[in-house]
Amino acid sequence: MPGTEEIVQTAFEVEIQARIDAERARLRAEAGLARMREFKKPVERTFTANERDYVTILFGGLTWKHEEMIKAVFHGSGYRCENIPTPVVADFQAGKEFGNNGQCNPTYFTVGNLVRHLQMLEQQGQTRKQIIDNYVFFTAGSCGPCRFGMYEAEYRFALQNAGFDGFRVLLFQQTDGIKAASGEPGLKFSVDFGMGMLNALNLGDVINELAYQVRPFEVNKGETDRVIHDSVKTLTDTLRDRKRWHIVDAAPTWAKPYLEKSGKLAGISCTLGKIGHNLYGKEYLDALHTCRDSINAIEVDRLRVKPVIKITGEFWAQTTEGDGNFNMFAFLEKEGAQVLVEPIATWIAYMMYVAKEGAKARADAEAPYRDPKWYELKKRLANDFKVFKKTGGLSAGSAMWNFFYHRTIKHMGDTAHHLIPQKELSRLAHPFYHQLARGGEGYMEVGKNVYYTVNHLCHMVLALKPFGCMPSTQSDGVQSRVVNKYKDMIFLPVETSGEGEVNAHSRVQMALAEAKAKARAEFDGVLQETGKSLEELRDYVDQHPALKQALYKVPHRKGLAGTAAQFAWHVSELIDKDGAYRRSTRVSARLQRVA
């Protein structure tokens, strides 16, 4: 039995705890928190299959090239779909009006853009109930340990404040793939839809890079934009209207009875056939080659000296083409730079790599058998097999993703940049940033900065990120050490928001002046080393029209970053190998002296 002292001690502790609870209750009451309840995620009305005929899916936030491709796939799969216009400053202001305080600008721009679009539908005569019933929003979800993880709740909060309470949100989780915030069954992911989205993303990436690759050097101003618009229409028409392949239509007559008897055989054959048709079908490849030839017909002058500016940063800020990043791409081109944009494909490759490396790192902790002896082969194989089940599919998926992206590049002229191996980016970043440190672009910002600098693939790296973005701030802190190690690196981080465009452009101009000087010195060095004058190079190019084609593939010379420097060296080598041209040049020079 407890002694008297223990009983007194227990009673004393109970009394103290009671007083603490009473005081806590009083303070809660004063603060209006007396009726606190545990937060539960609101149950959202589902998007059902029978709503597909009248419910329109809204989405946005990418380049207009990507959005047109994605919309075509949705339409071709039988869905109603619209892309919201590129966000502007007014959308940012609407996002701040209806959303919570302290959010990053992708949140404000995106939700403000959505709210103002719904308000426009209301002004056109639709009631709020019709809008809530007839539209859903398709967007990205969490990418790491930042406020981006709360986007879904922020969208609902802002929509509720704007009077659209109950508006549905379909969520694309960047780390978990495609889900719905409501567990909806209305969005069915068929083989045709999945392969169509693969093609849409790859085509959007490649044609977006080609636009920025060609436009700075076009001879006829505006021609690139016109050709790119026509090419996007050709590709979207193909993605939307192409005939859907089916085994019943394609199989020979003698095979149809067997397929009818075996549903499993028919299903596997149909799936494989659809994949092959979407990737290798004549209609699809003909569309790619038509666009390639149209773009290649643009006349360019590659001897214009322009600094190459590599864009990195937070996913949304480095992708959008509007007020969300101060219209930075158009500004850079106006200032005489060549912009090297980042494809969405890089982000997808990064997700697969991090998932695979994370599984390897957790292998020992999740192993069925802990520390098996060297002779316990069965246990060791069981452990290895569990890791393989998690990493094997990711390795295969990563290899296939790279293959099909590079295949698209090949069919579109083979001049767009290939994806950098994630293992290489991770290796370069590792002295500064661990590969499993999540948030934002993780190690990629640091890895890309080092990769493009040490391999002389750009003159300057410009990192675009949202104001107050936690992962980007973390990355910028690391970049100070990176810049200190690589003395010739020009790296500029710019935080974007709804304001501050003049200040951001001013900062970029100052760094750009240094990059321009670097590009000019590089080009002059090539002229000096080759012993050729600019007039001599231009004369040779004028006599060989193929060198003026937009998709003429210039061999990369190690140590040179600028397009003009690369091209000047290549033309110099062509002149040195062209004996007939040199003889004709000498004859012309003699005739001029005689005259």
Side-chain angles (χ1 to χ4, degrees), residues 33-61:
L33 302 175
R35 296 183 177 180
M36 287 187 64
R37 295 180 300 171
E38 181 181 351
F39 173 79
K40 292 185 179 181
K41 183 178 177 180
V43 178
E44 191 173 49
R45 182 161 56 94
T46 58
F47 170 41
T48 59
N50 58 13
E51 293 179 306
R52 292 176 191 163
D53 293 335
Y54 64 87
V55 169
T56 299
I57 298 172
L58 302 176
F59 74 99

Side-chain angles (χ1 to χ4, degrees), residues 140-326:
S142 171
C143 73
C146 68
R147 288 162 294 187
F148 197 10
M150 299 299 293
Y151 266 17
E152 179 190 345
E154 293 304 323
Y155 293 150
R156 287 201 182 94
F157 181 74
L159 289 166
Q160 182 180 4
N161 290 343
F164 296 97
D165 189 18
F167 189 87
R168 290 170 287 179
V169 177
L170 304 182
L171 207 60
F172 173 79
Q173 288 288 109
Q174 289 182 309
T175 53
D176 299 321
I178 297 175
K179 294 181 178 178
S182 59
E184 47 71 86
L187 199 54
K188 183 179 179 181
F189 295 93
S190 63
V191 175
D192 283 320
F193 183 84
M195 299 309 299
M197 282 296 180
L198 170 69
N199 288 334
L201 290 175
N202 286 344
L203 290 173
D205 279 344
V206 174
I207 206 163
N208 187 50
E209 181 175 343
L210 290 178
Y212 286 102
Q213 182 186 99
V214 174
R215 187 165 45 230
F217 303 100
E218 63 183 6
V219 172
N220 303 309
K221 188 173 177 59
E223 185 180 6
T224 302
D225 287 339
R226 178 184 60 77
V227 172
I228 290 296
H229 274 86
D230 292 343
S231 298
V232 169
K233 187 178 186 308
T234 298
L235 294 170
T236 54
D237 288 348
T238 302
L239 291 174
R240 183 187 62 244
D241 300 331
R242 63 189 301 190
K243 184 179 178 182
R244 268 43 184 176
W245 190 91
H246 198 279
I247 187 66
V248 174
D249 301 324
T253 305
W254 62 266
K256 290 182 179 180
Y258 297 99
L259 294 172
E260 291 174 358
K261 290 180 181 179
S262 175
K264 187 174 181 179
L265 176 62
I268 294 173
S269 301
C270 195
T271 297
L272 295 176
K274 284 180 176 291
I275 292 173
H277 179 72
N278 275 279
L279 296 173
Y280 297 94
K282 184 177 184 301
E283 185 180 1
Y284 174 67
L285 295 181
D286 285 348
L288 265 62
H289 297 160
T290 298
C291 295
R292 175 198 63 194
D293 295 341
S294 298
I295 296 172
N296 194 38
I298 300 172
E299 184 180 352
V300 298
D301 176 12
R302 291 187 177 86
L303 290 172
R304 298 173 182 173
V305 181
K306 295 178 178 290
V308 179
I309 311 301
K310 173 59 187 171
I311 303 297
T312 65
E314 185 267 340
F315 178 81
W316 188 88
Q318 72 173 348
T319 303
T320 189
E321 297 175 310
D323 292 350
N325 62 9
F326 301 134

Side-chain angles (χ1 to χ4, degrees), residues 347-546:
W347 175 256
I348 297 174
Y350 163 75
M351 288 193 296
M352 288 190 282
Y353 180 80
V354 169
K356 183 176 71 173
E357 294 304 308
K360 290 180 180 179
R362 296 188 301 270
D364 290 340
E366 298 177 352
Y369 302 98
R370 294 293 181 89
D371 300 324
K373 305 296 182 182
W374 66 269
Y375 53 83
E376 295 178 311
L377 298 181
K378 187 175 182 180
K379 291 181 179 181
R380 293 167 66 91
L381 287 173
N383 288 349
D384 292 342
F385 182 68
K386 183 170 182 178
V387 176
F388 176 77
K389 283 197 298 183
K390 292 186 176 182
T391 62
L394 290 167
S395 296
S398 180
M400 291 174 64
W401 177 258
N402 280 269
F403 172 78
F404 288 123
Y405 182 75
H406 296 152
R407 177 175 173 272
T408 304
I409 289 176
K410 182 178 179 181
H411 283 288
M412 291 292 286
D414 204 18
T415 61
H417 290 78
H418 284 211
L419 297 179
I420 307 170
Q422 289 294 319
K423 189 173 183 179
E424 176 67 5
L425 287 179
S426 175
R427 184 188 69 81
L428 292 172
H430 187 71
F432 314 98
Y433 204 103
H434 196 279
Q435 66 175 0
L436 297 181
R438 302 299 302 276
E441 288 222 326
Y443 62 80
M444 282 204 297
E445 270 198 69
V446 174
K448 281 187 251 183
N449 192 12
V450 177
Y451 181 86
Y452 279 89
T453 299
V454 300
N455 289 291
H456 303 283
L457 297 174
C458 72
H459 298 104
M460 168 180 151
V461 176
L462 176 62
L464 301 172
K465 59 272 307 281
F467 174 76
C469 175
M470 186 189 74
S472 293
T473 302
Q474 177 177 297
S475 176
D476 286 347
V478 174
Q479 295 283 17
S480 61
R481 185 183 171 202
V482 177
V483 174
N484 189 53
K485 179 175 180 179
Y486 300 95
K487 303 297 184 182
D488 60 339
M489 177 182 289
I490 305 177
F491 171 75
L492 177 65
V494 173
E495 287 194 333
T496 61
S497 67
E499 303 90 6
E501 180 172 328
V502 174
N503 180 57
H505 285 178
S506 177
R507 290 184 61 213
V508 171
Q509 278 180 320
M510 288 189 288
L512 198 57
E514 188 178 350
K516 286 180 178 179
K518 195 175 181 181
R520 171 55 65 180
E522 179 186 62
F523 183 75
D524 291 343
V526 170
L527 295 183
Q528 184 176 1
E529 191 172 350
T530 59
K532 308 289 193 309
S533 66
L534 180 59
E535 292 72 22
E536 190 175 354
L537 297 176
R538 286 195 180 281
D539 179 68
Y540 188 83
V541 172
D542 288 339
Q543 296 186 40
H544 297 80

Side-chain angles (χ1 to χ4, degrees), residues 548-563:
K548 296 183 179 182
Q549 294 176 340
L551 299 181
Y552 179 86
K553 193 169 183 179
V554 181
H556 178 74
R557 184 174 181 84
K558 190 175 181 180
L560 298 178
T563 298

